[in-house]
Amino acid sequence: MHPLNRPTRVAEQSPGEDLTEAFDYLIVGAGFAGSVLAERLAAGLDKRVLVVDRRAHIGGNAYDHHDEAGVLVHRYGPHIFHTNSQRIVDYLSRFTEWRPYEHRVLAVVDGQQVPIPINRTTLNALYGLSLASDEEAERYLAGRAEPVATIHTSEDVVVNQIGRELYEKFFRGYTRKQWGLDPSQLDKMVTSRVPTRTNTDDRYFTDTFQQMPLHGYTRMFERMLDHPNITIQLDTDFRQVRDEVRYGHLIYCGPVDEYFDHCFGKLPYRSLKFEHRNLDQAQFQAVATVNYPDEAVAYTRISEYKHLTGQQHPSTSITYEYPSAEGDPYYPIPRPENAELYKRYEQLASQTEGVTFLGRLGTYKYYNMDQVVGQALALYKRIEQAHSGDPAADLEHDQSPARQAT
Ligand code: FAD
Ligand code: UDP
């Protein structure tokens, strides 16, 4: 049995015992959303919390572990921590030390490996140019840009900025593979995550804080959840315990449509198949992630973990990501009809007493890890205020899905 998979205290109760609630909170999902909230409720308000997860491990999609060769890998693809929030860093720093790490990505385009986000180096390499300043690069891109009157989609935003040719080389194929949709069918926020630069900054992110948990995400989660008020039950679906466990309030971090038995139809999620490999060589590629925008290549990217973790090891481990319609729900798909459908679930959620929805799946938001931590801390603040008698913050009168926090 996993050391964290302790039996619930419910099992220890004898029949006929006083029917006070066994747990103040039942939390579904041991990822960032559920774990942060469990820690806060247990340590901050002395609440008794049961966390269940249907997977065999804690950490949700951020779970990492040592593979058979002994290399620290991320089971669900590369997770790089980046944020502009000092508050979120301070909070997580209670459970981990950090390793400074700035993510760099190359894209294979026209037979070359060039930096993405597109920057001056990318343009010079691709077109044999010698653009020497931001101004020169700006002028060059302005000459290529095809202005779009109103920017709605993931195609509009890129074509408007850098023109159709660069859009097709870097974005169209990758996005079609990743989402199973053309960029013209996706909200502009998707490709807007990857900016275009006129300088030579080749970092993937520009956030103030870019760092990896020194001993990995799972170790950080173990420390977060290590509290006498927290009981964890793994390999356990909410449906198995919903009628057995007595609890005061439910925090649900699984897919919101699943909770309501898909009563309005299924919310679309995009999935991935991960192909993990260990190679008998010290290094496989120059940077942690290499993207393959070419539609003829089935995978979207290959990631090599030792770049992220700094681990010294004679072999190396890599992961290929193959996008898929089937499988675990990893990505909410940002497009107007899905947002409309989610609104119906959100409305139903707000009318459902005793349950609060949280996290990437619970609130159907394409959130990064730091945003989910922010969302969980914001929900905790409201619970804490309600607890201290602030009527404006009473959770029982506010069943809305957790609001965005960052
Ligand atoms: P999850 O981590 O999905 O956790 C939800 C948990 O709920 C799961 O463990 C699931 O098993 C459990 N669950 C669901 N339903 C039930 C049920 N009925 N019963 C029991 N348990 C249930 N973010 C970054 O900031 N940086 C990155 O580099 C980054 N890279 C990513 C790469 C990939 C391939 C993916 C898919 C995501 C990436 N993310 C990244 C996003 C990050 O994974 C999420 O922001 C974060 O993990 C969301 O946490 P969560 O707790 O909301 O959800
Ligand atoms: N994208 C692309 N080409 C790239 C990198 C990203 O077209 O080389 C698009 C693609 O639609 C992707 C989105 O930009 O889904 C956001 O990229 P990001 O790296 O943030 O994706 P995530 O890490 O969330 O999978």
Side-chain angles (χ1 to χ4, degrees), residues 181-200:
L181 293 168
D182 190 78
S184 60
Q185 297 171 290
L186 282 165
D187 188 280
K188 63 176 185 243
M189 63 87 70
V190 175
T191 52
S192 301
R193 287 166 64 94
V194 183
T196 299
R197 304 195 183 118
T198 50
N199 58 20
T200 54

Side-chain angles (χ1 to χ4, degrees), residues 107 116 154 170-172 174-175 178-179 186 190-194 204-205 291 293 301 321 331 360 366 368:
I116 173 94
S154 269
F170 285 88
F171 288 91
R172 193 177 64 182
Y174 189 103
T175 302
Q178 172 71 11
W179 300 95
L186 282 165
V190 175
T191 52
S192 301
R193 287 166 64 94
V194 183
Y204 204 67
F205 307 111
N291 286 357
R301 58 186 182 188
E321 289 174 47
Y331 292 87
R360 213 185 205 210
Y366 186 7
N368 293 327

Side-chain angles (χ1 to χ4, degrees), residues 90 108 208 224 328 335 340 357 405:
D90 287 347
V108 177
T208 326
M224 197 182 280
D328 280 359
R335 58 190 309 220
E340 281 305 309
F357 294 85

Side-chain angles (χ1 to χ4, degrees), residues 2 8 16 22 26 42 81 102 104 124 132 140 144 148 152 155 158 162 171 195 254 271 278 295 329 331 343 367 393:
H2 188 281
T8 72
L26 170 59
F81 183 78
E102 291 184 325
R104 286 184 168 75
N124 285 338
Y140 180 79
R144 290 186 157 269
V148 176
H152 291 296
E155 177 183 288
V158 181
I162 60 176
F171 288 91
S271 191
N278 177 260
E295 265 186 288
Y331 292 87
K343 266 194 206 150
Y367 276 167

Side-chain angles (χ1 to χ4, degrees), residues 99-394:
R99 166 180 197 264
Y101 169 73
E102 291 184 325
H103 195 46
R104 286 184 168 75
V105 179
L106 296 171
V108 177
V109 171
D110 295 346
Q112 290 191 63
Q113 295 201 353
V114 292
I116 173 94
I118 294 172
N119 66 17
R120 211 156 72 220
T121 312
T122 316
L123 297 172
N124 285 338
L126 214 55
Y127 294 113
L129 303 169
S130 45
L131 303 170
S133 65
D134 279 37
E135 293 69 33
E136 282 183 42
E138 242 164 65
R139 267 199 302 277
Y140 180 79
L141 287 174
R144 290 186 157 269
E146 295 170 37
V148 176
T150 321
I151 294 170
H152 291 296
T153 73
S154 269
E155 177 183 288
D156 298 339
V157 73
V158 181
V159 169
N160 179 65
Q161 207 177 7
I162 60 176
R164 189 155 293 276
E165 185 179 304
L166 284 165
Y167 158 75
E168 287 179 4
K169 283 185 195 299
F170 285 88
F171 288 91
R172 193 177 64 182
Y174 189 103
T175 302
R176 284 181 177 173
K177 289 194 289 187
Q178 172 71 11
W179 300 95
L181 293 168
D182 190 78
S184 60
Q185 297 171 290
L186 282 165
D187 188 280
K188 63 176 185 243
M189 63 87 70
V190 175
T191 52
S192 301
R193 287 166 64 94
V194 183
T196 299
R197 304 195 183 118
T198 50
N199 58 20
T200 54
D201 186 350
D202 63 349
R203 295 171 306 160
Y204 204 67
F205 307 111
T206 51
D207 302 53
T208 326
F209 303 97
Q210 305 188 35
Q211 50 201 27
M212 299 289 288
L214 186 60
H215 303 293
Y217 289 98
T218 303
R219 183 77 200 100
M220 180 177 78
F221 279 97
E222 282 171 355
R223 289 177 63 181
M224 197 182 280
L225 291 167
D226 183 16
H227 192 283
N229 287 348
I230 300 178
T231 300
I232 297 166
Q233 213 166 271
L234 300 174
D235 294 309
T236 304
D237 196 290
F238 170 60
R239 282 166 293 206
Q240 290 166 250
V241 296
R242 67 186 306 170
D243 299 325
E244 282 169 26
V245 174
R246 281 177 290 121
Y247 56 89
H249 193 93
L250 176 66
I251 308 284
Y252 194 83
C253 311
V256 58
D257 55 328
E258 188 181 311
Y259 179 86
F260 292 112
D261 296 323
H262 310 109
C263 62
F264 301 130
K266 282 194 170 181
L267 273 171
Y269 296 91
R270 191 68 173 161
S271 191
L272 294 168
K273 305 275 179 247
F274 299 101
E275 188 185 318
H276 301 290
R277 286 193 204 171
N278 177 260
L279 307 173
D280 195 13
Q281 63 196 70
Q283 190 176 327
F284 174 71
Q285 59 191 25
V287 291
T289 297
V290 176
N291 286 357
Y292 293 81
D294 185 352
E295 265 186 288
V297 178
Y299 46 86
T300 48
R301 58 186 182 188
I302 304 177
S303 298
E304 182 176 22
Y305 297 102
K306 283 164 68 185
H307 294 280
L308 308 179
T309 60
Q311 187 180 0
Q312 299 294 314
H313 196 281
S315 76
T316 194
S317 294
I318 59 173
T319 298
Y320 293 72
E321 289 174 47
Y322 294 87
S324 159
E326 309 301 323
D328 280 359
Y330 292 127
Y331 292 87
I333 304 178
R335 58 190 309 220
E337 48 267 66
N338 300 352
E340 281 305 309
L341 182 54
Y342 170 64
K343 266 194 206 150
R344 299 183 67 192
Y345 281 108
E346 189 180 26
Q347 172 72 15
L348 184 56
S350 72
Q351 293 158 359
T352 306
E353 290 282 306
V355 191
T356 306
F357 294 85
L358 188 67
R360 213 185 205 210
L361 305 172
T363 59
Y364 200 67
K365 296 281 183 309
Y366 186 7
Y367 276 167
N368 293 327
M369 295 181 282
D370 64 317
Q371 293 172 298
V372 171
V373 174
Q375 193 192 38
L377 292 177
L379 173 59
Y380 173 70
K381 203 170 171 190
R382 285 195 285 140
I383 296 173
E384 195 184 33
Q385 282 166 352
H387 209 253
S388 67
D390 176 356
D394 189 345

